[in-house]
Amino acid sequence: MTATSAASTAPELRAPAGSLPIGTGWRELAATSDIVFPFDGSAFAQAPVSSAADSRDALDAAEAARPEVAALTTAERKAILQGIHDRLRADAQRFEDLLVLETGKPRADCRVEVNRTIVTLQATIEEVSHVTGETVPLDVQELGRGMIGYYTRKPAGVIVAIAGFNYPLLLATHKLAPAIAAGCPVIVKPAPNTPLATLELLAITRDVLAEHGVTGAAVQLVNGGPEVGETLVQDPRAAVVSFTGSAKIGHLIAKQAAPRKALLELGSNTGFIVAADADIEAAVDAVFRGGFYANGQACISVQRVVLERPIAERFTARLIERMGEIVVGDPREIETNVAPVINEASGERIRAMVDRALAAGATLLTPAELPDGPAAGASVPPIVLGDVPREVDAWCEEIFGPVVCLTTVDSVDAAIDLVNDSRYGLQAAVYTASLESAFAAIERLEVGGVVVNEIPGFRSDIMPYGGVKDSGIGREGPRYAIEEYTVTRMAMIRPRARS
């Protein structure tokens, strides 16, 4: 398949050519950008590019649609989400093919993304009926004697959903589906280099909305550079901004959105602890699986491996032995494990981080030869670094590539302290046979989630997912995102006036 052009293998796009879903219909746009297949650098499609003016128009339309969307019944919201789910499930292969081309992720990872998207939609459907409030005992104070108190949840308003390039379909769905469930219009902005699968999702969604007699302005999409997103974020009509991406951009968005709510799922440099009593083969397999999937471009892929000293040498030897099993090649092939990263700039950044670590004293434990060819600049071979100094950016910052760093400590307590010594805190893992060590990690690790005896990249799409510190604020997952997209309204009633 490597001799076959990306353009000739690209699936048919069903969104109207040259148009974006802005306002109640599809807006034709003159500006376009090439969408490039990272494996060979070839342009296989073009995407419409919108402007700041288009963002303002989308906000106008979303604000006008607020009453209609908020008035949708529970049954109508569930039916709309079910329709999206059924269409996406029937079209799963086409979405998989499209994701392979625009993200450059191996096919197996794109298949997982589509399946997780389907699960997210199904879970959101189940949560729609639970958008409820609670009664409150007002008579805890004397003035409330004889009164009735309760609160309900109401749609917060317009949701701005900004997704990253690495899982464009899934990340958009994490925001779009709960917005529909909460009764909120949503404007989606995908990453400029991976907009196509998200645009196809919007085409499906618009068709389902039309079948239910709901305005298309309930779900819109804009695509373009920073000014397109900034226009959305800074506008006071955006009640909630939900962003997935880098810490640097997330901090900027939080400032631009203030004082309105910003939900931020940002980067990390995931810690992975291997205790002396761990199943070494299972732990090695977890790093093998968790450090290189999605070409290492996942915020919870394994980056910092902290080994307890008694097993460090054995673990390292076995991991290096298994590295030869990784297949580097064309992401369209199901056997491929690692392919070029998203673009040449990312490849250069990752290789520079590795070079700085080596210059500071780290050890290169795997071959790091770069292939020739049109995408050589985006190519990063699977790399394992040993004895990584803890002050270099390959340890301190997020690599976001197929690179794993190893270091050794004397105890599980020291490993927990080392993992916590980071400005990030999204997710971490520990491999151990000891319940005491497992619960020590769960209690002490300063992260949004702790995984025991499984890869830290395990993310349940129904759990409250998010981070602490510079890894963000707020939680995703259908139930939790719906809560984030609603506001409470209190009701305090005295059945009859006091005499």
Side-chain angles (χ1 to χ4, degrees):
M1 186 179 288
T2 55
T4 306
S5 71
S8 67
T9 60
E12 178 184 359
L13 301 179
R14 296 181 182 172
S19 302
L20 293 179
I22 297 173
T24 58
W26 289 82
R27 176 171 297 184
E28 291 188 15
L29 299 169
T32 61
S33 64
D34 289 339
I35 305 302
V36 173
F37 181 35
F39 176 68
D40 61 14
S42 66
F44 70 92
Q46 289 191 320
V49 176
S50 57
S51 66
D54 295 316
S55 293
R56 288 189 287 271
D57 289 346
L59 285 162
D60 290 343
E63 183 68 17
R66 276 183 60 193
E68 179 181 346
V69 179
L72 292 172
T73 66
T74 299
E76 288 169 329
R77 297 177 197 184
K78 293 181 74 169
I80 291 167
L81 288 166
Q82 187 68 57
I84 300 168
H85 167 276
D86 293 346
R87 286 176 182 245
L88 179 59
R89 187 168 187 172
D91 213 8
Q93 184 62 56
R94 190 173 67 90
F95 275 92
E96 177 186 311
D97 293 340
L98 187 54
L99 285 169
V100 171
L101 293 181
E102 69 172 341
T103 69
K105 288 188 312 195
R107 179 170 295 280
D109 297 318
C110 293
R111 185 168 297 171
V112 168
E113 178 175 358
V114 174
N115 289 337
R116 285 180 58 189
T117 302
I118 293 168
V119 168
T120 296
L121 284 163
Q122 183 60 53
T124 308
I125 294 165
E126 295 171 2
E127 290 297 334
V128 176
S129 298
H130 303 297
V131 185
T132 59
E134 187 175 330
T135 57
V136 180
L138 298 182
D139 58 0
V140 295
Q141 59 189 74
E142 184 59 31
L143 187 62
R145 184 187 292 270
M147 292 186 69
I148 299 168
Y150 66 92
Y151 68 85
T152 56
R153 289 196 168 274
K154 298 295 182 182
V158 177
I159 309 299
V160 170
I162 305 175
F165 72 82
N166 56 333
Y167 282 80
L169 178 66
L170 179 62
L171 295 177
T173 305
H174 278 163
K175 306 171 192 305
L176 180 148
I180 293 173
C184 298
V186 57
I187 304 171
V188 180
K189 183 190 180 298
N193 46 359
T194 57
L196 298 180
T198 310
L199 185 56
E200 292 297 287
L201 173 66
L202 267 288
I204 284 176
T205 302
R206 282 287 185 97
D207 286 347
V208 173
L209 290 173
E211 290 172 359
H212 288 83
V214 179
T215 175
V219 177
Q220 303 175 75
L221 183 146
V222 295
N223 177 51
E227 71 284 352
V228 172
E230 288 173 358
T231 301
L232 298 175
V233 170
Q234 295 174 351
D235 196 292
R237 292 172 293 182
V240 181
V241 177
S242 180
F243 169 77
T244 302
S246 71
K248 178 181 178 181
I249 301 302
H251 295 173
L252 177 62
I253 284 175
K255 293 177 182 177
Q256 292 175 336
R260 290 162 292 113
K261 182 185 286 188
L263 307 176
L264 307 174
E265 185 202 318
L266 309 179
S268 191
N269 56 356
T270 302
F272 183 97
I273 298 170
V274 185
D277 60 5
D279 181 331
I280 300 303
E281 193 65 32
V284 167
D285 185 68
V287 173
F288 181 80
R289 290 182 291 122
F292 307 104
Y293 74 97
N295 303 328
Q297 297 171 129
C299 52
I300 49 178
S301 64
V302 175
Q303 180 172 331
R304 299 180 296 155
V305 179
V306 185
L307 306 169
E308 214 176 342
R309 197 169 303 280
I311 51 85
E313 184 175 343
R314 184 156 55 104
F315 177 97
T316 302
R318 182 60 178 137
L319 176 62
I320 300 311
E321 182 181 346
R322 289 209 57 192
M323 290 296 291
E325 300 173 21
I326 295 179
V327 177
V328 178
D330 189 332
R332 291 172 291 186
E333 302 285 359
I334 192 61
E335 297 84 5
T336 297
N337 304 118
V338 173
V341 295
I342 189 67
N343 54 34
E344 185 171 330
S346 291
E348 292 175 350
R349 176 188 57 79
I350 295 163
R351 292 192 299 272
M353 292 176 78
V354 172
D355 289 343
R356 286 191 291 270
L358 294 174
T363 304
L364 182 63
L365 300 177
T366 53
E369 297 178 2
L370 294 177
D372 296 325
S379 295
V380 180
I383 292 173
V384 178
L385 299 175
D387 305 314
V388 181
R390 296 164 192 176
E391 69 275 9
V392 299
D393 55 358
W395 183 268
C396 298
E397 295 298 326
E398 183 175 43
I399 295 177
F400 220 63
V403 181
V404 170
C405 302
L406 309 182
T407 195
T408 303
V409 295
D410 292 322
S411 67
V412 171
D413 282 344
I416 293 171
D417 290 341
L418 182 54
V419 170
N420 283 342
D421 185 18
S422 171
R423 72 186 183 101
Y424 298 108
L426 188 52
Q427 200 143 296
V430 58
Y431 264 71
T432 179
S434 163
L435 281 175
E436 181 180 0
S437 295
F439 280 101
I442 292 168
E443 290 300 316
R444 290 183 51 209
L445 283 170
E446 298 167 355
V447 293
V450 178
V451 184
V452 179
N453 293 336
E454 188 47 88
I455 62 171
F458 178 81
R459 171 182 173 179
S460 171
D461 294 292
I462 61 174
M463 291 281 278
Y465 180 79
V468 298
K469 300 192 279 191
D470 274 3
S471 287
I473 188 170
R475 293 295 181 265
E476 288 193 335
R479 177 186 304 176
Y480 314 99
I482 292 170
E483 289 185 359
E484 300 278 19
Y485 296 166
T486 57
V487 293
T488 58
R489 181 173 299 168
M490 299 182 295
M492 292 157 284
I493 306 166
R494 188 173 295 283
R496 58 183 180 183
R498 300 176 68 180
S499 57

